[in-house]
Amino acid sequence: MSLVIDDKGTISLYQGDSGDIVISGLDINRNYTVYFAVQDKKRNLIGNELQVTSNKADSVIFFLTPDFTDLLKVPSGKAYEIYTYGIKVCEEDADTEDTLFVADGNYGDENVIIVYPRKVIGG
């Protein structure tokens, strides 16, 4: 897997590769549905929002498939392309929804994905 997340929450990956994104620190007394979405620089949604149920665990894992990351295009001649992502936690049987800050984020900060061009097609 060639997906790397730094201490500020910036994700770096090659287009078409796979990897895990772990969201931790969830309240084990609550059952959440956690959502993950990626947008381009014009705020267009890329692919579908991904969702995982916590089942009262303290963390969830989103697996980004090669098909999903293949949607993150890098224009010809560019070294990389920047996308943004968001994570939302919704509590089952309640009317609460919270957009999570990544690392030491604040309102208005963007969670960034840096996508590098595919290096090889593979199997």
Side-chain angles (χ1 to χ4, degrees), residues 18-38:
S18 61
D20 292 334
I21 297 174
V22 179
I23 310 302
S24 57
L26 301 174
D27 184 342
I28 61 171
N29 296 308
R30 299 182 176 183
N31 194 27
Y32 297 108
T33 301
V34 184
Y35 297 88
F36 177 87
V38 177

Side-chain angles (χ1 to χ4, degrees), residues 35-39 84-88 99-100 111:
Y35 297 88
F36 177 87
V38 177
Q39 295 179 342
T84 59
Y85 69 94
I87 300 165
K88 182 170 272 196
T99 299
L100 299 183
N111 305 321

